Amino acid sequence: MKSDLIICHINHLVTLKGINDLRCGKEMRDVEIINDGYVVVKDGRIIEVSKGSGYKDFMDDKTQLVSGKGYLMTPGLIDSHTHLVHGGSRENELQMKLEGRDYLDILKAGGGILNTVKQTRQASFDTLYQKAKSSLDVMLTYGVTTVEAKSGYGLNLETEMKQLEVGKKLNETHPCDIKNTFLGAHAIPLEYKNNKNAYIEQIINMLPIIKEKDLAVYCDVFCEGDVFTIEESEFILGQAKKHGFKLKIHADEIYPLGGAKLACRIGATSADHLMASTKDDFKDLAEHKMVCNLLPATSFNLNKNYAKARDMIDFGCGISLSSDYNPGSCPTENLQFVMQLSSIKMKMLPQEVITAVTMNGACCINEEKNIGSIEIGKKADFVLFDVPNLEYLIYHFGINHVKDVYKNGKLVVSDQKICY
Ligand code: NIG
Ligand code: FE
């Protein structure tokens, strides 16, 4: 069979070949690294992965041959928890933070998430689209080819839908694949300040409309002190499940309310944050093979504790890592920084880190059959990093190591510049 594209003589080809399912505990170290590897692509899919010079059998005069000499290749990175689409930013809250005002206190006073709600409601579709597109371009230049994007800055049907429609349009127009999540339960809007139950009713009313318009795959809840309680979260997610949503939870981010256990109880796809979860939760998460989606750049930016990734892995949990990109708790699109933090601050090994942003990231958005590894049949999404080995990618922090990015077999970033 002939091919469209071959990357040959790749110094280290990190394939992640193996089980196309959540890798838990010690399995997170199984990454398979081929030296002098090659990848063959046809029609946007991978048709062969091997080593040496066998790629020549797949060549004809139309095949584009690229040398991967000196580079490390990984699957396209997956950012499986972002608040990509939003209006404005919140640098005006920096001084308050530096003076010691707590993140949840700022929200309680009508700032924080509610500040962004105001800006998102005011922004036009086009403004939101252009801003999110710029962020997506940054993500792509850092090696991210698939993104989960949450709403949650509308808190009314009109603006929640506007956010989700921006995500949907970007999925059609931008090289990155985007999966949408409805996060109507992100905060209680000011107009329902003294009537949370009425707002919960509004959320429940939005569910069938969003589902019918096919605007989101997942429903998520910010289960947190002064936001949504365990009971409220369980109720909202239970209703969402009935409408055919898959479920996610902002669980135990700041207070250990029991979000991790709720995720297990209701069969969520992932439990996210888990900064305040305990060893008792880890047992549950491991038993349920729950995707534990950790977001260490949020801990960094909020100056809070990091999730206990090392203990979690030793308990047999399966971890994914994401940016949590948003204008408040984590204003960065840089997933490589997240990877580097997870090693320095959460003691994750380089192999575990790369598993967390590829195969386990794919599981976090139910895409493990399509992406997350460099294997025959999968999408030809991959990144060439200008690093001598995997350890270096994690060790040398704060800069962008990407050279080129391929999405569906097409070069979309060349020498760190967008070229799609
Ligand atoms: O994941 N915690 C809730 N949501 C985001 C923060 C959103 C914001 O501050 O704007 C998070 O940390
Ligand atoms: Fe979040």
Side-chain angles (χ1 to χ4, degrees):
M1 200 194 312
K2 300 306 172 200
S3 62
D4 302 323
L5 169 73
I6 297 172
I7 320 274
C8 61
H9 300 302
I10 303 156
N11 202 13
H12 300 295
L13 169 54
V14 188
T15 71
L16 275 292
K17 185 172 175 219
I19 24 171
N20 283 319
D21 202 351
L22 186 68
R23 306 223 177 139
C24 298
K26 286 202 170 69
E27 291 166 358
M28 287 191 68
R29 296 181 201 173
D30 298 339
V31 297
E32 187 189 70
I33 303 182
I34 300 176
N35 298 325
D36 190 27
Y38 67 82
V39 183
V40 184
V41 177
K42 186 156 176 58
D43 298 329
R45 294 265 166 182
I46 296 163
I47 60 166
E48 180 63 307
V49 182
S50 190
K51 64 189 295 180
S53 298
Y55 62 88
K56 290 180 180 155
D57 296 344
F58 294 87
M59 285 179 65
D60 66 13
D61 48 2
K62 292 207 185 71
T63 305
Q64 187 194 354
L65 185 65
V66 177
S67 171
K69 225 177 183 134
Y71 299 114
L72 176 122
M73 183 189 273
T74 71
L77 308 182
I78 299 163
D79 195 342
S80 52
H81 180 137
T82 83
H83 303 255
L84 175 72
V85 183
H86 58 262
S89 70
R90 307 222 293 273
E91 67 275 17
N92 63 319
E93 289 174 3
L94 179 61
Q95 191 172 339
M96 276 190 253
K97 261 176 63 178
L98 299 181
E99 286 165 357
R101 282 287 291 280
D102 189 70
Y103 175 73
L104 288 175
D105 280 346
I106 297 175
L107 172 62
K108 223 171 158 183
I113 294 172
L114 294 174
N115 179 341
T116 302
V117 168
K118 206 165 138 197
Q119 302 190 66
T120 307
R121 286 180 179 179
Q122 281 166 1
S124 67
F125 179 94
D126 240 43
T127 305
L128 291 180
Y129 177 86
Q130 288 306 334
K131 180 172 162 59
K133 179 184 174 292
S134 302
S135 285
L136 217 44
D137 282 346
V138 175
M139 290 178 181
L140 194 63
T141 58
Y142 277 84
V144 172
T145 50
T146 307
V147 172
E148 182 263 9
K150 300 177 196 296
S151 63
Y153 294 116
L155 311 186
N156 60 29
L157 182 62
E158 183 193 341
T159 313
E160 288 292 312
M161 279 179 43
K162 184 169 65 176
Q163 282 187 272
L164 294 169
E165 269 156 5
V166 167
K168 195 172 178 182
K169 183 165 171 197
L170 281 166
N171 183 45
E172 287 155 10
T173 54
H174 194 276
C176 281
D177 287 321
I178 296 172
K179 273 191 124 166
N180 268 347
T181 296
F182 171 56
L183 180 56
H186 196 195
I188 297 96
L190 283 176
E191 60 274 23
Y192 286 95
K193 196 172 175 195
N194 298 313
N195 198 354
K196 203 206 281 192
N197 284 339
Y199 181 57
I200 293 175
E201 213 179 302
Q202 288 304 307
I203 297 172
I204 305 304
N205 292 338
M206 290 186 226
L207 289 169
I209 303 169
I210 285 167
K211 197 72 218 166
E212 201 226 316
K213 292 189 184 297
D214 197 22
L215 283 174
V217 178
Y218 302 98
C219 179
D220 192 345
V221 173
F222 188 18
C223 178
E224 186 56 70
D226 288 327
V227 195
F228 293 95
T229 64
I230 281 288
E231 293 73 23
E232 290 159 351
S233 302
E234 185 155 11
F235 174 65
I236 295 165
L237 293 171
Q239 294 296 310
K241 197 173 184 176
K242 282 191 193 150
H243 287 290
F245 286 89
K246 291 191 166 85
L247 311 176
K248 291 180 173 286
I249 311 180
H250 279 69
D252 306 332
E253 177 175 351
I254 298 165
Y255 293 109
L257 296 188
K261 285 202 156 53
L262 173 59
C264 296
R265 197 157 69 235
I266 58 167
T269 299
S270 68
D272 297 45
H273 283 292
L274 307 175
M275 281 142 71
S277 300
T278 61
K279 289 194 174 168
D280 184 42
D281 297 319
F282 303 163
K283 252 178 63 191
D284 239 39
L285 292 162
E287 268 168 25
H288 284 83
K289 280 191 159 271
M290 179 59 56
V291 181
C292 303
N293 197 15
L294 307 185
L295 311 117
T298 305
S299 303
F300 174 82
N301 187 59
L302 293 180
N303 258 320
K304 298 220 183 258
N305 291 335
Y306 289 82
K308 296 181 186 67
R310 189 69 265 147
D311 288 346
M312 293 170 85
I313 295 173
D314 295 343
F315 264 84
C317 292
I319 286 174
S320 58
L321 289 164
S322 305
S323 68
D324 196 21
Y325 168 61
N326 72 70
S329 70
C330 197
T332 183
E333 295 93 340
N334 184 347
L335 193 61
Q336 285 176 56
F337 179 57
V338 171
M339 293 159 66
Q340 292 145 0
L341 267 182
S342 63
S343 177
I344 299 164
K345 295 292 188 183
M346 306 198 300
K347 301 190 171 59
M348 287 175 68
L349 302 170
Q351 293 87 341
E352 293 167 342
V353 173
I354 200 70
T355 299
V357 290
T358 56
M359 179 52 68
N360 283 4
C363 294
C364 192
I365 51 168
N366 304 99
E367 289 292 333
E368 63 276 13
K369 301 277 180 290
N370 276 318
I371 52 175
S373 60
I374 299 180
E375 284 183 81
I376 294 175
K378 290 219 171 174
K379 285 192 183 192
D381 296 359
F382 33 73
V383 187
L384 282 172
F385 288 102
D386 188 6
V387 294
N389 50 56
L390 181 60
E391 287 72 18
Y392 192 90
L393 174 64
I394 309 301
Y395 162 82
H396 187 136
F397 74 93
I399 64 154
N400 187 3
H401 291 291
V402 161
K403 183 187 181 297
D404 297 336
V405 180
Y406 289 82
K407 176 70 192 169
N408 295 321
K410 298 260 169 329
L411 184 68
V412 290
V413 172
S414 171
D415 286 327
Q416 296 199 358
K417 300 239 166 8
I418 293 285
C419 65
Y420 62 84

